[in-house]
C-alpha cells in the first residue's frame, strides 16, 4: 500500500521526523474521522503568523466574486502561531492524530524542514493537478517543490526593488537611472566619503539574515545555492563575485553594515538620512520604510534593481510564505478549493493585494489595468506596477533543499568574516561549503 494513503505508515514516518521524546507525550491521543465533507458550511482551520493573511482569507470568504458556484460555504477559523512553530506543531499533531489545521502558512525558510524524510509527501496535498491549468503563468513554485511536485502556494512574489530617497540623490548628483550596481557603487563611495551617506545596507546580525542578504544578490547575479535536484551549487564564480562586491561596499561605506533591516539601528539610519537607498522586497515599503520613517512620505521612490555588469537578472526575490493543505482530513477538499479560489484566480489575487499588499504570483496580473493604475502615496504617487511588471518578467528561480537551514547556520559565519575583511570571499565560500558537506553529509 502507498505510504501516503496508509495513516499508520504515515504516522510512523512522521514520528521519525518529530523525535521519540515528543511522540511519547502524544501517544495517548486517539483517531479522528476522515470522512470527507463534500458540501455545505465548513470550518477551515488556518494557522498563520501574519494578521494580513487573516484579513485576506476573511474577506475572500465573504466575497461572492471568489466563492460563487462552490458547493461549500467557507468559514475561516484562524489561529496565530509563531513562524518557527508552525511546522513543528503540524507534525506533532499529525503524529498524534490531533488537531492539525486544514491550511498551514509555512514561511519560506521553514519549508526545508519538510523537504526530507518524505514529510511533505505524507503531510500535505500534492498540488500538481491544482496548478496544472496555470502552466508557466504561475510564478514562485520552486521553493516549495519536493521531487518536482509543489506542496505550497506562495502568497507574495516578494520582488526586490531599489528604494531610494529621491531628494538625497538629486542633492548629491546621483542619477536615478544608473544602469549597473558598479556605477551605483562609485556614487555610493563618493557619498560615504564626503557626506556620510550610504546607498545600501548589508545584514551582519544572525546567520539567517546574513545568508538571506547574500542569497538575494546571488540570485540576481545569476548564481544559485541549490539546483532543482537539491544539489548544492554554491561553488561558482558568481558567488565569489557577489561576496567580493558586498565586502568592498562595506569597506568603502557604500553599503551600511546593520544587524537587521528592521531594528533600531536601521531605523536610526533611515531617520538621520545616513541610509538613503536600499534593495529590499516589496513588503519593505510598509514594514520598513513606512513603519520607521512615516515623516519621509513623498521623498522615497522605487525602481528596478541596477544590473550587475557581468550579467544575471533584472530582479531578485527575498522571503515568502506558502499555504499548504493538510491531507486526509474531513475538510481537505474544501480547503484545497478555497486555496485555489483565493490564490489561483484573478479576483483572489487582486483581493489579496488590496488586503495586505501581497504581489500577484500569476504573471498576467502584472498587466492588469486595475493593478497598473495603483499609485502609492508614500512613494509620491508612483505607479508601482510599472516597476513590478518589469521585474516580474525577469525573476530568477529560487530552489531550496532539506539542508537549507544547515547551510544558513554554517555559511553565515564565513560570509560575515568576508564582509568584515577577516577572510577572502573565495575562502569564505569554500569554508561554508566544506562545513555544510561535513554536517549534512552531502
Amino acid at each position: 500500500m502507498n505510504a501516503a494513503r496508509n495513516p499508520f505508515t504515515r504516522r510512523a514516518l512522521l514520528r521519525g521526523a518529530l523525535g521519540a521524546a515528543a511522540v511519547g507525550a502524544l501517544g495517548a491521543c486517539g483517531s479522528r474521522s476522515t470522512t470527507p465533507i463534500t458540501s455545505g458550511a465548513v470550518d477551515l482551520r488556518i494557522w498563520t503568523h501574519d494578521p494580513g493573511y487573516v484579513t485576506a482569507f476573511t474577506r475572500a470568504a465573504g466575497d461572492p466574486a471568489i466563492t460563487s458556484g462552490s458547493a461549500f460555504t467557507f468559514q475561516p477559523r484562524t489561529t496565530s502561531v509563531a513562524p518557527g512553530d508552525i511546522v513543528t506543531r503540524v507534525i506533532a499533531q499529525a503524529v498524534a492524530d490531533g488537531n492539525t489545521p486544514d491550511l498551514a502558512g509555512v514561511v519560506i525558510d521553514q519549508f526545508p524542514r519538510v523537504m526530507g524524510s518524505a514529510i511533505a509527501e505524507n503531510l500535505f496535498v500534492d498540488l500538481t493537478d491544482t496548478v496544472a491549468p496555470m502552466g508557466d503563468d504561475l510564478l514562485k513554485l520552486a521553493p516549495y517543490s519536493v521531487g518536482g511536485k509543489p506542496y505550497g502556494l506562495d502568497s507574495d512574489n516578494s520582488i526586490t526593488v531599489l528604494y531610494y530617497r529621491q531628494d538625497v540623490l538629486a542633492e548629491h548628483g546621483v542619477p536615478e537611472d544608473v544602469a549597473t550596481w558598479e556605477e551605483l557603487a562609485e556614487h555610493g563611495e563618493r557619498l560615504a566619503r564626503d557626506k556620510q551617506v550610504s546607498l545600501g545596507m548589508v545584514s551582519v546580525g544572525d546567520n539567517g539574515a546574513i545568508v538571506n542578504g547574500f542569497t538575494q544578490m546571488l540570485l540576481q547575479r545569476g548564481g544559485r545555492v541549490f539546483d532543482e535536484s537539491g544539489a548544492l551549487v554554491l561553488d561558482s564564480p558568481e558567488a565569489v563575485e557577489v561576496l567580493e562586491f558586498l565586502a568592498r561596499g562595506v569597506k568603502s561605506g557604500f553599503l551600511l553594515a546593520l544587524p537587521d533591516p528592521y531594528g533600531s539601528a536601521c531605523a536610526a539610519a533611515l531617520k538621520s538620512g545616513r541610509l538613503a537607498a536600499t534593495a529590499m522586497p516589496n513588503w519593505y515599503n510598509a514594514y520598513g520604510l513606512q513603519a520607521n520613517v512615516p515623516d519621509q512620505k513623498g521623498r522615497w521612490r522605487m525602481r528596478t534593481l541596477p544590473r550587475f555588469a557581468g550579467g544575471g537578472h533584472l530582479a531578485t526575490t527575498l522571503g515568502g510564505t506558502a499555504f499548504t493543505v493538510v491531507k486526509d482530513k474531513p475538510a481537505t477538499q474544501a480547503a484545497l478549493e478555497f486555496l485555489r479560489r483565493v490564490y489561483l484566480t484573478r479576483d483572489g489575487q487582486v483581493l489579496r493585494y488590496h488586503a495586505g499588499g501581497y504581489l500577484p504570483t500569476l504573471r498576467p496580473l502584472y498587466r492588469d489595468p486595475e493593478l497598473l493604475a495603483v499609485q502609492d502615496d508614500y512613494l509620491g504617487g508612483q505607479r508601482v506596477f510599472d516597476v513590478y511588471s518589469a521585474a516580474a518578467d525577469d525573476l530568477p528561480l529560487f530552489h531550496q533543499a532539506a539542508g537549507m537551514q544547515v547551510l544558513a547556520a554554517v555559511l553565515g559565519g564565513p560570509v560575515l568574516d568576508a564582509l568584515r575583511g577577516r577572510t577572502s570571499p573565495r575562502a569564505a565560500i569554500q569554508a561554508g561549503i566544506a562545513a555544510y558537506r561535513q554536517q549534512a553529509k552531502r
Side-chain angles (χ1 to χ4, degrees):
M1 181 177 290
N2 188 319
R5 295 183 178 178
N6 183 336
F8 301 104
T9 302
R10 188 178 72 168
R11 290 176 66 187
L13 288 168
L14 293 172
R15 279 193 183 96
L18 186 63
V23 170
L26 297 166
C29 296
S31 297
R32 291 175 177 270
S33 169
T34 58
T35 302
I37 300 171
T38 57
S39 63
V42 54
D43 288 345
L44 296 178
R45 291 166 47 81
I46 302 173
W47 288 5
T48 177
H49 70 288
D50 186 342
Y53 299 129
V54 177
T55 301
F57 281 125
T58 302
R59 288 187 188 176
D63 189 336
I66 294 172
T67 61
S68 65
S70 175
F72 300 105
T73 300
F74 304 108
Q75 299 177 157
R77 302 288 185 257
T78 57
T79 299
S80 178
V81 182
D85 292 342
I86 288 181
V87 169
T88 300
R89 290 179 59 178
V90 170
I91 294 175
Q93 290 298 326
V95 170
D97 201 11
N99 292 316
T100 53
D102 301 300
L103 291 164
V106 181
V107 177
I108 193 167
D109 65 1
Q110 296 296 313
F111 193 80
R113 297 174 60 193
V114 303
M115 297 181 77
S117 304
I119 299 175
E121 295 91 323
N122 282 281
L123 201 56
F124 303 133
V125 172
D126 173 2
L127 301 175
T128 301
D129 292 340
T130 303
V131 304
M134 307 297 113
D136 293 337
D137 285 342
L138 182 59
L139 304 167
K140 215 177 172 189
L141 276 179
Y144 309 101
S145 295
V146 181
K149 297 178 179 178
Y151 290 92
L153 298 181
D154 207 316
S155 306
D156 192 328
N157 238 353
S158 301
I159 293 175
T160 299
V161 297
L162 182 69
Y163 295 102
Y164 62 93
R165 283 276 301 271
Q166 188 179 47
D167 56 333
V168 174
L169 266 58
E171 178 183 354
H172 298 299
V174 181
E176 295 181 43
D177 60 348
V178 292
T180 67
W181 277 113
E182 289 78 3
E183 183 182 352
L184 185 64
E186 290 181 9
H187 289 288
E189 290 168 7
R190 172 174 58 82
L191 263 61
R193 181 185 65 244
D194 298 340
K195 303 296 180 180
Q196 289 75 57
V197 171
S198 296
L199 298 181
M201 62 178 164
V202 173
S203 294
V204 291
D206 63 83
N207 286 335
I210 293 169
V211 173
N212 283 342
F214 165 69
T215 302
Q216 176 180 233
M217 302 303 283
L218 175 63
L219 292 174
Q220 193 204 356
R221 178 60 186 85
R224 295 186 294 174
V225 177
F226 293 98
D227 66 14
E228 55 272 24
S229 73
L232 186 68
V233 291
L234 184 60
D235 189 3
S236 68
E238 290 84 3
V240 175
E241 178 189 323
V242 166
L243 191 49
E244 286 175 343
F245 178 80
L246 296 176
R248 280 199 307 271
V250 171
K251 183 178 181 180
S252 71
F254 155 53
L255 301 175
L256 191 60
L258 293 168
D260 71 75
Y262 315 100
S264 58
C266 183
L270 290 169
K271 289 176 181 176
S272 67
R274 176 75 175 81
L275 183 62
T278 186
M280 288 294 287
N282 53 286
W283 35 262
Y284 194 72
N285 181 0
Y287 296 113
L289 298 179
Q290 296 186 41
N292 287 314
V293 282
D295 56 311
Q296 293 179 7
K297 177 181 179 180
R299 300 181 188 177
W300 287 86
R301 298 289 186 275
M302 72 177 205
R303 50 156 288 182
T304 54
L305 297 175
R307 290 184 180 274
F308 280 98
H313 301 272
L314 179 62
T316 186
T317 181
L318 174 66
T321 295
F323 274 85
T324 58
V325 180
V326 178
K327 66 194 305 184
D328 299 337
K329 297 191 57 160
T332 292
Q333 181 182 342
L336 181 60
E337 180 175 329
F338 187 54
L339 184 65
R340 180 186 63 77
R341 287 171 176 263
V342 181
Y343 274 58
L344 297 180
T345 65
R346 185 263 176 195
D347 289 329
Q349 296 225 341
V350 172
L351 179 147
R352 290 192 301 106
Y353 177 76
H354 289 304
Y358 307 113
L359 283 184
T361 55
L362 290 174
R363 194 188 307 273
L365 287 180
Y366 288 88
R367 299 287 185 270
D368 188 278
E370 180 177 340
L371 294 179
L372 284 172
V374 170
Q375 295 179 300
D376 190 308
D377 290 340
Y378 186 81
L379 300 175
Q382 187 174 7
R383 284 165 47 106
V384 290
F385 272 84
D386 289 343
V387 177
Y388 292 141
S389 60
D393 282 342
D394 191 12
L395 201 59
L397 292 178
F398 173 48
H399 296 283
Q400 299 201 94
M404 187 69 202
Q405 290 193 330
V406 173
L407 180 68
V410 301
L411 183 61
V415 168
L416 179 61
D417 284 341
L419 294 174
R420 295 297 193 193
R422 297 189 288 254
T423 189
S424 73
R426 185 178 301 279
I429 297 296
Q430 293 303 320
I433 291 172
Y436 173 78
R437 296 202 186 287
Q438 182 178 30
Q439 293 203 23
K441 307 302 181 187
R442 292 181 174 91

